[in-house]
RNA sequence: GGUGAGAUAGUCAAGUGGCCAACGACGGCAGACUGUAAAUCUGCUCCCUAUGGGUUCGAAGGUUCGACUCCUUCUCUCACCA
């Protein structure tokens, strides 16, 4: 039992610090039913969760299965400072209204994966605001500049002469102080958080918390492009609220190399099963596309239903393999004859009429599956299916 | 506070009076090939019913027949020194 739990917890992790602590916590749970706390911090910056976030959430859910109580920490205070992100640019500061709005949608989405009864939502404003200037200075005295510059992100920026705001130096301290206040037993986060996570341990020690938190790091999930990390601002994400069809299509569009990454971090298949599939692809007995479809099915079903996932797959085949038109698409009605380029803009298929004309010129636009060559074409009354490229469709009715 | 450098399309980055809607790279979109993969090749990439017109090069003025290019002021950024 303990073995199994440890294995599941270990899965896909980038690094675990103080595994002994985790083992002890689990043992105490199995022997005496004692629970423990697992902290994870979330920035209420983007209101929508994507698969990148779910990597962490899934790990939290695993802990919940084995006696962990999740401290779902909303960084509403720290969000007003701005974290030194991987993008190495000083981040925009959010207004408190933005934050409140974001939190609401954030948590409801998170509970698609987390067990609500085993989760405490906490806000770091509650203890960081009362900390005051004195408390802040006291906190800051625990850290030297040299040590701060050890942080990879900072040292890179420092070396490349990119500016670092002093307030950004405070961020790891505050995040670490969260762990002091919450007396967290375990904290999990992305590998990019390593420095901050370790700061939690250091500060807990400095403030006399008896046992320091164990730290578990998950790798950063790459976005659809396979290079940048998945993030909404880069537009390379799969949102947990994406439509089943969308979700399926997006997963299928990732590269083969990236697919394995997604298997490891998102699939619930065991590592052994994944290895078998991998071998199958290597020796040619399995087609990579089939394998990717399996993955897409699994993930789509998790956020929707098995039924919807299967439908998404059928729909996908219909549209792409047999190049038929999709079952559902946005429809628009016009009351008079309309110029094709205008119609494309109105249906949000092309960004501007200039763009629409270019698209037509390049032979990307089809009406009822037939290529449009006349860019002056007027749509007379009737019903049409407009198509641009492989993915954009719209149903049009002209009265 | 002092000195110097700089601000050009989604990003990086050329352009120092007309040849500039502005080289190039990346990204993005589309076409071919495919498995809506990768790789490769090709085209497109400010707006406007367009062999034309309009609006762009941090902002506002000015010089000029003509300005991304020259002048003035302003805003912002960076570096070095204190």
């Amino acid at each position: 039992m303990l073995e199994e739990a440890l294995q599941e917890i270990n899965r896909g992790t980038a690094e675990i610090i103080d595994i002994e602590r985790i083992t002890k916590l689990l043992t105490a749970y199995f022997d005496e039913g004692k629970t423990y706390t697992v902290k994870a911090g979330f920035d209420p910056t983007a209101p929508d969760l994507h698969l990148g976030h779910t990597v962490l959430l899934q790990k939290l859910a695993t802990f919940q299965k084995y006696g962990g109580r999740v401290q779902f920490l909303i960084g509403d205070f720290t969000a007003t400072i701005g974290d030194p992100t991987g993008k190495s640019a000083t981040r925009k500061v959010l207004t408190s209204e933005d934050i409140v709005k974001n939190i609401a949608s954030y948590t409801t989405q998170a509970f698609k994966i987390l067990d609500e009864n085993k989760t405490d939502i906490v806000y770091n404003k509650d203890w960081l605001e009362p900390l005051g200037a004195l408390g802040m200075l006291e906190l800051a005295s625990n850290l030297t500049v040299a040590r701060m510059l050890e942080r990879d992100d900072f040292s890179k920026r420092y070396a490349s002469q990119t500016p670092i705001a002093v307030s950004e130096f405070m961020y790891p301290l505050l995040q670490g102080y969260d762990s002091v206040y919450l007396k967290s037993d375990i904290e999990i986060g992305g590998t990019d958080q390593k420095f901050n996570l370790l700061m939690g341990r250091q500060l807990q020690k400095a403030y006399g918390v008896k046992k320091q938190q164990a730290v578990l790091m998950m790798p950063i999930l790459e976005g659809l492009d396979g290079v940048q990390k998945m993030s909404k601002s880069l537009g390379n994400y799969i949102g947990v609220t994406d439509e089943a069809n969308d979700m399926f299509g997006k997963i299928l569009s990732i590269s083969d190399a990236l697919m394995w990454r997604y298997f490891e971090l998102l699939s619930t298949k065991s590592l052994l099963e994944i290895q078998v599939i991998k071998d199958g692809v290597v020796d040619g007995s399995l087609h990579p596309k089939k394998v990717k479809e399996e993955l897409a099915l699994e993930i789509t079903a998790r956020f929707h239903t098995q039924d919807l996932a299967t439908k998404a797959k059928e729909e996908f085949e219909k549209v792409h393999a047999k190049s038929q038109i999709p079952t559902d698409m946005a429809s628009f009605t016009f009351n008079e004859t309309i110029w094709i380029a205008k119609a494309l803009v109105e249906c949000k298929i092309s960004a501007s009429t200039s763009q629409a004309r270019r698209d037509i010129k390049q032979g990307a636009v089809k009406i009822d599956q037939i290529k449009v060559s006349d860019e002056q074409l007027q749509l007379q009354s009737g019903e049409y299916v407009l198509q641009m490229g492989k993915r954009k469709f719209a149903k049009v009715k002209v009265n």
Side-chain angles (χ1 to χ4, degrees):
Chain A
M1 196 64 187
L2 179 67
E3 268 309 301
E4 189 192 314
L6 275 173
Q7 249 175 30
E8 268 200 63
I9 284 165
N10 194 39
R11 165 170 186 180
T13 54
E15 192 178 351
I16 297 180
I17 290 164
D18 205 352
I19 183 75
E20 297 78 15
R21 179 87 202 277
I22 295 178
T23 313
K24 275 182 196 154
L25 290 168
L26 284 174
T27 312
Y29 169 69
F30 285 125
D31 294 351
E32 311 157 37
K34 265 176 83 174
T35 60
Y36 52 91
T37 55
V38 186
K39 172 194 163 199
F42 295 89
D43 258 323
T45 41
D48 295 307
L49 290 178
H50 54 62
L51 290 189
H53 299 111
T54 69
V55 172
L56 268 186
L57 293 176
Q58 277 177 250
K59 189 56 71 182
L60 286 174
T62 306
F63 275 112
Q64 288 183 325
K65 230 165 98 183
Y66 301 114
R69 206 169 162 81
V70 169
Q71 297 170 324
F72 192 94
L73 184 137
I74 308 266
D76 58 347
F77 186 84
T78 31
T80 55
I81 296 180
D83 174 40
T85 58
K87 272 173 282 170
S88 298
T90 313
R91 182 201 280 178
K92 274 189 225 86
V93 169
L94 285 181
T95 70
S96 49
E97 288 149 34
D98 288 335
I99 294 173
V100 170
K101 209 163 53 186
N102 289 350
I103 290 171
S105 74
Y106 217 89
T107 48
T108 42
Q109 291 173 63
F111 287 134
K112 280 190 180 180
I113 294 173
L114 291 181
D115 182 344
E116 194 164 354
N117 295 318
K118 294 178 181 169
T119 305
D120 300 310
I121 299 178
V122 289
Y123 303 88
N124 65 1
K125 210 174 218 163
D126 290 350
W127 57 87
L128 289 182
E129 219 159 50
L131 193 60
L134 192 66
M136 200 83 130
L137 282 176
E138 194 190 328
L139 186 59
S141 68
N142 285 294
L143 191 69
T144 62
V145 171
R147 175 111 172 75
M148 191 59 92
L149 283 172
E150 279 174 25
R151 179 171 157 154
D152 190 47
D153 180 59
F154 284 141
S155 59
K156 270 190 199 138
R157 283 165 67 182
Y158 194 67
S160 68
Q161 304 187 320
T162 314
I164 303 169
V166 173
S167 59
E168 294 183 61
F169 265 5
M170 297 305 295
Y171 193 96
L173 282 168
L174 295 174
Q175 183 173 336
Y177 185 75
D178 292 340
S179 291
V180 172
Y181 182 87
L182 292 169
K183 298 186 177 64
S184 311
D185 294 314
I186 301 172
E187 173 161 13
I188 80 176
T191 47
D192 56 338
Q193 293 287 310
K194 182 169 184 175
F195 186 90
N196 298 0
L197 297 171
L198 289 173
M199 188 58 58
R201 278 170 72 85
Q202 192 182 333
L203 289 178
Q204 281 182 328
K205 195 174 180 184
Y207 279 82
V209 175
K210 270 176 240 123
K211 288 196 173 148
Q212 296 166 49
Q213 66 183 9
V215 166
L216 187 148
M217 280 162 276
M218 297 304 293
I220 302 299
L221 186 72
E222 291 84 355
L224 298 172
D225 54 41
V227 182
Q228 303 266 48
K229 72 172 185 178
M230 184 178 283
S231 89
K232 181 152 188 175
S233 54
L234 293 172
N236 61 355
Y237 69 104
I238 302 175
V240 306
T241 51
D242 280 1
E243 297 283 320
N245 284 346
D246 262 3
M247 197 179 270
F248 189 91
K250 279 184 185 174
I251 296 169
L252 220 57
S253 79
I254 64 173
S255 75
D256 288 4
L258 187 61
M259 160 170 86
W260 299 116
R261 191 81 176 137
Y262 279 32
F263 258 114
E264 190 191 352
L265 294 176
L266 297 171
S267 171
T268 53
K269 284 193 195 335
S270 75
L271 293 176
L272 192 68
E273 283 174 282
I274 293 171
Q275 191 55 48
V276 169
I277 296 171
K278 222 172 189 169
D279 292 342
V281 171
V282 171
D283 70 28
S285 60
L286 282 172
H287 193 290
K289 196 198 173 198
K290 285 271 168 273
V291 173
K292 208 181 289 174
E293 276 174 356
E294 284 303 310
L295 177 71
L297 267 178
E298 182 191 335
I299 295 173
T300 309
R302 180 177 310 147
F303 296 102
H304 298 280
T305 60
Q306 190 63 50
D307 197 40
L308 280 171
T310 315
K311 282 215 180 86
K313 179 173 184 260
E314 284 164 6
E315 180 73 9
F316 185 87
E317 268 161 22
K318 182 179 156 195
V319 176
H320 300 287
K322 300 177 190 154
S323 62
Q324 293 171 354
I325 53 175
T327 339
D328 290 318
M329 58 187 123
S331 52
F332 299 84
T333 306
F334 300 105
N335 288 322
E336 52 189 356
T337 303
I338 185 166
W339 177 36
I340 176 73
K342 274 269 186 271
L344 287 168
V345 174
E346 291 296 321
C347 298
K348 300 199 166 56
I349 286 178
S350 300
S352 64
T353 59
S354 296
Q355 183 62 48
R357 295 166 75 123
R358 279 182 226 119
D359 292 337
I360 295 167
K361 207 174 289 175
Q362 295 195 97
V365 176
K366 290 179 186 170
I367 293 177
D368 295 331
Q369 311 258 56
I370 297 163
K371 193 179 288 181
V372 177
S373 49
D374 176 15
E375 63 180 63
Q376 292 302 328
L377 184 72
Q378 302 287 329
L379 294 179
Q380 306 298 330
S381 61
E383 287 187 43
Y384 310 92
V385 172
L386 295 188
Q387 180 182 357
M388 205 291 283
K390 289 172 190 159
R391 319 177 189 203
K392 291 180 181 166
F393 297 88
K395 202 176 276 177
V396 166
K397 189 177 176 194
V398 179
N399 289 322

